[in-house]
Amino acid sequence: MAKLKRFGRGEVQPHEDYGFFGPGSVVWKVWSYPTAPTVGFQRAVVVEELDPPLVAAVHATQGIYRRARTRYDRTLRYFAMVAFAGTREVCQAADVLVKVHSKAIGELPYGGGTYDANDPASQLWIQLTGWHSILYAYEKYGPGKLTEQEETEYWEACALAAELQTCSPDDVPRSREGIRAYFADMRPRLSASPIARQAMNHLLRTELVLPPTPWWAKPASLAVARAQRIATIATLPRWMRELAGIRQSRLLDTLIVPVMKTAFALAHLSPRLELLLIGRLSPSTVPVIAPMKLGIPPRTREVLTPAEARARHGYPRPAEAHLDLRARQAARVFEHGKAPSDQGLIESQEILGPLA
């Protein structure tokens, strides 16, 4: 990723089609801005940890601690695929993700009960925190608020993308007021348990996902990481910070805004610079977004719905996918007291990127 010429049009492979949104969509507008893979994505994964079932799954796998950079890379690649990749690629990724999540099951460490990463409620929480955080960062550190029409389109697109998860698109709010109501309803269920606080503070350490740098570049790299941490915390409401034990002054909250707005606006002036920067955070994401950034059209210039894509490419709805595997994993864990198998996780490497 060191040279801009690597992003020449001849080196970038086009997608098969425009995916589920395409040029001119509000999704491409918001998700292509440099706030998305940085503050927006970091905010999403930090906020998610307040959900007890989700953080239980995260803690059980230890992936964010053992392989922080590859975990960030793989997750961001999937987010980007939903927004920008061809429909066949996305359906394949959504399908294998059900397999990956089939091993994220077990007993809740606090309060009793069980968790399952494929549970529709958990998937809805991930979907809404992700899409809300990407939009929030865009509004705070990017061009500003969407028009009323754009915002309606954005949440309709969020519901469409929910068809790629095990949750129901019918449960996705279609307005800002609906999203606020959802989070207000979720608030009593959220908990900053010891493992949640540990995960949130760990995920705020941006330096852990940056590549190794020579000694002379480390001060600049740490400064960038520190700025992103400040910017991400500044997007968190006070009640959430207090719940998680995260502290930051109102002065820093205010001062970071013009700094980040300027930095993101300058980066957005050059698509190749954006690709270089994203390549440092998530190398696996670059091939997904490069065609969009460089204006390389797909082999077929069409946009499909998830239903049309499933019918064309032969994939079931995620909620109905791999039920036998999920049942076998549940039996291993809850009936026989064994660890779940790694089926799906190994297979996912060709689609979502390497595990290490």
Side-chain angles (χ1 to χ4, degrees), residues 151-152 155-156 172-182:
E151 190 167 326
T152 298
W155 294 115
E156 289 290 345
V172 175
R174 301 304 205 275
S175 66
R176 187 181 298 262
E177 292 72 23
I179 293 295
R180 286 174 178 162
Y182 169 80

Side-chain angles (χ1 to χ4, degrees), residues 241-275:
R241 300 188 214 182
E242 292 172 3
L243 187 65
I246 297 171
R247 292 177 175 80
Q248 181 168 285
S249 70
R250 296 182 186 276
L251 179 61
L252 274 181
D253 287 353
T254 301
L255 293 178
I256 198 63
V257 175
V259 173
M260 300 304 282
K261 284 180 74 75
T262 301
F264 286 134
L266 290 174
H268 196 52
L269 293 175
S270 169
R272 285 176 170 77
L273 176 58
E274 286 184 282
L275 290 173

Side-chain angles (χ1 to χ4, degrees), residues 8-165:
R9 294 175 68 91
E11 286 76 35
V12 175
Q13 294 297 314
H15 290 305
E16 185 174 345
D17 52 47
Y18 275 129
F20 300 110
F21 305 107
S25 67
V26 71
V27 172
W28 278 32
K29 175 181 177 177
V30 173
W31 285 65
S32 68
Y33 202 75
T35 49
T38 52
V39 175
F41 182 71
Q42 185 175 48
R43 183 189 193 275
V45 296
V46 168
V47 172
E48 284 173 5
E49 308 307 321
L50 288 172
D51 179 51
L54 184 141
V55 77
V58 169
H59 185 76
T61 64
Q62 291 287 297
I64 64 171
Y65 304 110
R66 294 174 180 168
R67 45 186 180 85
R69 180 161 163 75
T70 54
R71 180 65 180 265
Y72 191 98
D73 186 32
R74 284 164 55 88
T75 308
L76 184 55
R77 175 179 168 86
Y78 178 76
F79 267 63
M81 289 179 74
V82 171
F84 305 115
T87 56
R88 186 191 304 274
E89 296 174 81
V90 182
C91 285
Q92 185 182 31
D95 187 74
V96 80
L97 200 59
V98 174
K99 294 183 180 181
V100 172
H101 286 158
S102 74
K103 72 185 301 291
I105 56 176
E107 303 283 344
L108 287 171
Y110 303 98
T114 62
Y115 65 87
D116 177 353
N118 276 316
D119 180 74
S122 287
Q123 289 289 298
L124 182 64
W125 170 250
I126 293 170
Q127 179 75 2
L128 295 185
T129 52
W131 281 68
H132 175 258
S133 294
I134 296 295
L135 179 57
Y136 193 103
Y138 177 87
E139 292 181 334
K140 188 175 183 70
Y141 301 118
K145 289 189 178 295
L146 301 178
T147 66
E148 184 176 345
Q149 181 178 350
E150 287 176 327
E151 190 167 326
T152 298
E153 180 188 337
Y154 186 83
W155 294 115
E156 289 290 345
C158 178
L160 184 147
E163 293 191 46
L164 303 167
Q165 310 292 110

Side-chain angles (χ1 to χ4, degrees), residues 295-307:
I296 298 173
R299 291 189 290 274
T300 303
R301 302 191 186 198
E302 62 178 341
V303 175
L304 303 179
T305 67

